[in-house]
Amino acid sequence: MFRTRYMAYALLALAAFLFEGCTCCAYLNHMFNAERLYDEAGEMRTARLDSVPDAEASSPSSEERQKYDKVIEKGSRVLERFPKNKKRTAEAVFLIGESFRHKGEWGKAIIKYDEFERYFADHDSMRTVEYQRAYCLYRNLEYNISRFALEPVISDKNHPYYFQGLNLLSLLDEQSEHPDQAIEALEAVLADTAGTPFMKGKAHFRLAGLYYKKENWDKAREHYKAKEIELLNVRERQTAGEQAAECLINKQEFLKGADEYKELYKNPEYESKKAEYLVRIGEATLMGGRYPDAFVIFQKVNTEYPRSTAASRSYYNLGDYEQNKTLDYEKAIVYYDSSFVSRSISEWAKKSRERRDALRRLIALRGQSDDMKKDSIPNMDRFFGTEFQIAELFLFKLSEVDSAIARLTNIIESTDDSAKVLRASYARAFIYDEFKGDVDTAEELYKEVIEKFPNTEYAKQAQVNLGMKVTVKTPDDEAREMYMRAESLWTIASEMPLDQMELVDTAYATAFYVFDSLYQQYPETEAGIQALYMKAIYFQMNPERLDSAAAVYRVLRDKHGRTRWGQQAASVLNTRLKLSEMDLERLRKRVAQSLEHIDRLSAQYYESLAKKPEEKKAEVKSKEDEVLENTYNSMYDFE
């Protein structure tokens, strides 16, 4: 960048020996070293960015950072020694800002760029500063300010950073969740005839990515295949080729996608990803229905790249085929085991291990289910429990949604148990909704649950899932409302004046009647159990009915012992003091310590009695003329 000035700087620096007291020589020396270091760091930066696919995710090496640090140090010395010389300080501030930017210290770079505009707004580098400051604000996550700072760049088509500004604008629109505006900004770059082919290639690449996220496969592929893409670096061209092939696969054009991956496989520039491409060719061929060809490709992967992630993925695909297409679970297990052995730390190995274990469990459950069918008196609860487990395995472990639905449908059609039918019906509707994305079928099945099984939690949740107003009331809801009514009556009774005892007794009796009715109607609900506890409290309030209270507490303890009301009842009934062995040991130690203390005090007392009178110490008597003051100052004024 500054090579042409090196010789001039060197000759001028040589003059420092002749003009020892000249300050310009010190300036030239500092700037010469700063620009040399900046150029060296720039070469390292260029080499680094050429070797990575994503320049924004790359960080400078320690050596590169050290060179930028020295640039900042040299520039700072120029600012210290020549603060009033605009010509000499402008370039120093600019180099310091650029060095901070290349180091990724966005906040410090922004401060220097602001300083540059404040003092050197008419400098030639100001156009660069305008764009780079907006970019640093973007990288510093200050999107709104970045958009504001970008305005002078994109408002002038003659600005040297106009097209880079449009690209940055698209990034800002993307961050603000406005992909359409980002697309519009990039389309403007392509529409302008003044843009360079390289910038157009960058715009095509970014546009393709945005369209890909929107699942517009045709537009994404169009931009990935643009001729300007060939001007980008190797990593970006490679990504464009891969994504273009994926667009075809997403359009269900599997064999065409496989052909494009074959072209990438043959490209010597992409040697490092040949194994991955070969596996993807096999997957696309398998999805295209050419199973024998796909098997040949997968076997080639396993032979040429054994003990690799590619081989693990290849065996996983073979196992998936045997599991879902041929339903040969034993063979699928063998392939899944091979996937795990090929590369046990890969994600494909982990998936294979999960599927292998699930298939083994499925085979065992199927065996149990078949055995129960053969029994003369089959245990239907156990049989349908097994069927639910099989459906769950299909859904969550084996990713076989249709098989799970088939099992649930079989349960619905095979049993008269309304609880099992309800559970299976809701599960089937939920699978259509969440896993298959078939909203119409899910809505129909949810409404069937609401119609056939009203006043259940499943019907209530079905209304929630459909976005309907929840009108279903379960027994728990009705019991809770009844309990609130009884509790209100109890509160009213407790707040009545005691001089109106007849009214108080009547109010408590009314509340008791509601609590009693609640438990009779909803004995298994939480509100019903709590109502039974309140019945015991009511009996306990009357000394003549303590036996009735104890009887109710026993019912709570025996029938509902796992609830907190049952546990509270057990606590009330258990009035005897119970001490653990640890408590008894602690008490024994305390008694022993007390006895020991008493014995010691007794010994001291009898010893004092046995002493001779002359051995006793004289009592301390106060002076007769001593007057103790009882004033505030004498007690607290310590000074």
Side-chain angles (χ1 to χ4, degrees):
M1 178 180 176
F2 300 102
R3 298 286 186 187
T4 56
R5 286 179 282 179
Y6 277 0
M7 187 172 292
Y9 278 137
L11 292 172
L12 288 170
L14 189 63
F17 294 102
L18 301 175
F19 302 98
E20 207 169 305
C22 183
T23 56
C24 67
C25 295
Y27 163 75
L28 293 172
N29 181 47
H30 289 316
M31 287 308 299
F32 172 79
N33 288 324
E35 291 176 352
R36 177 179 57 80
L37 291 165
Y38 186 82
D39 280 351
E40 290 175 1
E43 291 174 359
M44 296 175 68
R45 180 172 180 271
T46 302
R48 171 171 57 85
L49 295 182
D50 287 343
S51 64
V52 295
D54 186 2
E56 291 190 358
S58 176
S59 299
S61 64
S62 59
E63 186 180 356
E64 187 180 335
R65 281 180 171 277
Q66 287 173 5
K67 289 187 180 295
Y68 283 126
D69 286 335
K70 288 180 180 178
V71 173
I72 294 167
E73 179 187 344
K74 297 292 183 184
S76 299
R77 287 183 182 176
V78 171
L79 296 178
E80 288 173 5
R81 299 190 64 176
F82 311 100
K84 295 182 180 180
N85 191 321
K86 288 181 117 181
K87 185 177 180 181
R88 295 176 178 178
T89 54
E91 191 171 1
V93 173
F94 181 75
L95 285 179
I96 292 172
E98 291 289 275
S99 297
F100 279 130
R101 176 171 67 86
H102 293 319
K103 286 176 65 182
E105 297 182 13
W106 315 113
K108 292 181 180 179
I110 292 165
I111 292 171
K112 281 298 169 186
Y113 289 141
D114 287 344
E115 184 181 324
F116 190 93
E117 183 178 11
R118 181 180 178 184
Y119 296 107
F120 316 110
D122 57 347
H123 196 276
D124 293 341
S125 300
M126 188 58 214
R127 307 280 264 179
T128 303
V129 167
E130 286 175 342
Y131 171 75
Q132 298 299 0
R133 178 174 51 189
Y135 177 77
C136 288
L137 286 165
Y138 161 73
R139 292 302 302 272
N140 208 40
L141 309 182
E142 300 179 55
Y143 302 128
N144 292 330
I145 303 175
S146 176
R147 186 184 294 274
F148 174 76
L150 193 60
E151 286 182 4
V153 178
I154 59 177
S155 61
D156 181 8
K157 285 193 174 183
N158 294 321
H159 197 289
Y161 286 89
Y162 174 72
F163 294 105
Q164 290 94 326
L166 290 178
N167 186 58
L168 179 57
L169 181 63
S170 70
L171 289 170
L172 290 167
D173 288 330
E174 194 174 344
Q175 289 295 335
S176 62
E177 298 182 357
H178 294 101
D180 292 331
Q181 292 181 12
I183 289 171
E184 184 179 343
L186 290 168
E187 292 284 10
V189 175
L190 296 175
D192 199 304
T193 56
T196 64
F198 179 79
M199 281 303 302
K200 288 181 181 292
K202 283 282 190 181
H204 277 299
F205 189 78
R206 287 281 324 291
L207 264 174
L210 291 170
Y211 279 123
Y212 194 92
K213 286 181 181 178
K214 295 185 69 175
E215 298 184 3
N216 188 336
W217 312 122
D218 290 324
K219 294 292 289 184
R221 179 172 166 76
E222 175 189 335
H223 287 287
Y224 277 132
K225 301 298 286 185
K227 62 180 181 180
E228 290 86 356
I229 292 289
E230 294 301 319
L231 300 174
L232 303 182
N233 63 41
V234 175
R235 294 299 180 91
E236 289 173 329
R237 294 201 308 272
Q238 185 178 8
T239 301
E242 292 168 2
Q243 296 295 81
E246 288 297 324
C247 287
L248 290 172
I249 292 173
N250 289 325
K251 290 171 62 181
Q252 310 292 310
E253 298 179 22
F254 303 116
L255 297 180
K256 288 184 179 179
D259 289 338
E260 293 214 353
Y261 268 113
K262 287 176 184 177
E263 295 301 318
L264 294 173
Y265 176 79
K266 295 174 184 176
N267 194 325
E269 290 186 310
Y270 311 147
E271 180 73 25
S272 62
K273 298 192 74 174
K274 288 186 72 172
E276 185 179 326
Y277 290 154
L278 198 57
V279 174
R280 196 61 181 141
I281 293 167
E283 290 173 343
T285 305
L286 190 67
M287 288 186 283
R290 288 166 55 178
Y291 305 126
D293 293 341
F295 268 64
V296 170
I297 295 169
F298 286 138
Q299 292 300 339
K300 182 178 180 180
V301 174
N302 300 335
T303 302
E304 294 185 2
Y305 306 97
R307 303 281 181 177
S308 65
T309 301
S312 180
R313 181 175 174 181
S314 174
Y315 278 120
Y316 176 85
N317 282 298
L318 291 169
D320 183 75
Y321 173 80
E322 297 297 345
Q323 174 193 324
N324 292 294
K325 295 296 182 182
T326 67
L327 303 182
D328 189 340
Y329 293 156
E330 296 291 349
K331 205 169 188 179
I333 288 172
V334 173
Y335 281 129
Y336 286 141
D337 276 333
S338 298
S339 173
F340 184 82
V341 172
S342 295
R343 188 69 172 171
S344 60
I345 62 173
S346 69
E347 61 172 314
W348 303 102
K350 293 174 184 176
K351 288 181 180 179
S352 295
R353 179 53 57 92
E354 288 179 1
R355 285 202 173 187
R356 185 207 66 178
D357 294 342
L359 283 176
R360 286 179 176 174
R361 176 71 178 147
L362 176 63
I363 292 170
L365 288 172
R366 278 185 164 179
Q368 293 177 14
S369 182
D370 292 341
D371 291 342
M372 283 185 278
K373 282 182 180 179
K374 295 175 183 177
D375 288 346
S376 57
I377 307 177
N379 185 333
M380 299 309 294
D381 285 338
R382 187 180 172 194
F383 171 75
F384 286 113
T386 302
E387 290 294 293
F388 274 115
Q389 289 182 54
I390 292 173
E392 186 176 336
L393 279 173
F394 275 130
L395 182 62
F396 295 111
K397 297 296 184 181
L398 300 172
S399 301
E400 294 187 35
V401 177
D402 292 331
S403 297
I405 291 174
R407 283 284 169 172
L408 293 171
T409 303
N410 182 54
I411 293 172
I412 294 167
E413 295 173 352
S414 303
T415 181
D416 297 327
D417 189 330
S418 60
K420 292 182 176 60
V421 172
L422 170 59
R423 178 183 169 191
S425 299
Y426 178 83
R428 184 174 61 175
F430 183 80
I431 291 171
Y432 271 107
D433 187 12
E434 294 295 326
F435 289 85
K436 289 181 72 71
D438 189 342
V439 179
D440 294 333
T441 304
E443 182 179 357
E444 182 183 338
L445 294 173
Y446 277 137
K447 287 181 177 178
E448 184 179 327
V449 171
I450 296 168
E451 181 183 350
K452 291 184 177 180
F453 306 98
N455 303 326
T456 62
E457 284 290 344
Y458 286 110
K460 184 178 178 180
Q461 189 59 45
Q463 285 188 328
V464 172
N465 293 350
L466 289 172
M468 300 169 60
K469 181 181 178 181
V470 178
T471 57
V472 171
K473 286 189 177 180
T474 65
D476 279 325
D477 295 330
E478 294 174 350
R480 198 176 297 111
E481 289 181 2
M482 197 170 179
Y483 183 86
M484 295 296 291
R485 188 165 67 252
E487 190 177 42
S488 298
L489 293 171
W490 187 276
T491 303
I492 291 170
S494 65
E495 293 176 352
M496 284 184 174
L498 295 178
D499 56 357
Q500 301 177 11
M501 284 305 298
E502 291 185 2
L503 292 176
V504 172
D505 291 342
T506 303
Y508 274 121
T510 304
F512 171 81
Y513 174 76
V514 179
F515 280 130
D516 184 55
S517 301
L518 169 56
Y519 181 70
Q520 296 300 326
Q521 294 179 43
Y522 307 102
E524 298 302 323
T525 63
E526 184 178 354
I529 297 167
Q530 191 174 359
L532 183 61
Y533 184 82
M534 292 304 296
K535 280 181 61 178
I537 295 292
Y538 175 79
F539 286 136
Q540 197 172 355
M541 291 168 62
N542 188 343
E544 297 179 358
R545 306 196 67 176
L546 291 178
D547 291 341
S548 299
V552 174
Y553 280 135
R554 280 193 290 272
V555 171
L556 278 166
R557 181 193 62 190
D558 297 340
K559 292 185 66 175
H560 311 289
R562 293 186 177 181
T563 66
R564 62 187 179 118
W565 310 109
Q567 293 169 2
Q568 184 65 26
S571 177
V572 172
L573 290 171
N574 188 18
T575 55
R576 286 187 61 190
L577 178 64
K578 285 188 177 180
L579 294 175
S580 65
E581 289 296 328
M582 188 179 296
D583 293 331
L584 285 173
E585 184 63 28
R586 192 180 297 114
L587 286 172
R588 290 190 187 103
K589 286 183 179 180
R590 190 172 296 170
V591 170
Q593 290 172 356
S594 298
L595 290 175
E596 183 182 345
H597 182 63
I598 291 169
D599 291 340
R600 189 168 57 253
L601 291 177
S602 297
Q604 290 176 0
Y605 174 74
Y606 288 115
E607 185 180 340
S608 64
L609 289 178
K611 285 182 179 180
K612 295 179 180 180
E614 60 272 12
E615 292 179 353
K616 294 182 180 179
K617 293 182 179 179
E619 295 181 3
V620 178
K621 294 183 179 180
S622 62
K623 297 179 181 179
E624 292 182 357
D625 59 344
E626 183 180 3
V627 179
L628 298 177
E629 296 183 11
N630 188 19
T631 65
Y632 173 85
N633 290 335
S634 67
M635 294 178 66
Y636 295 96
D637 191 357
F638 296 105
E639 293 182 359

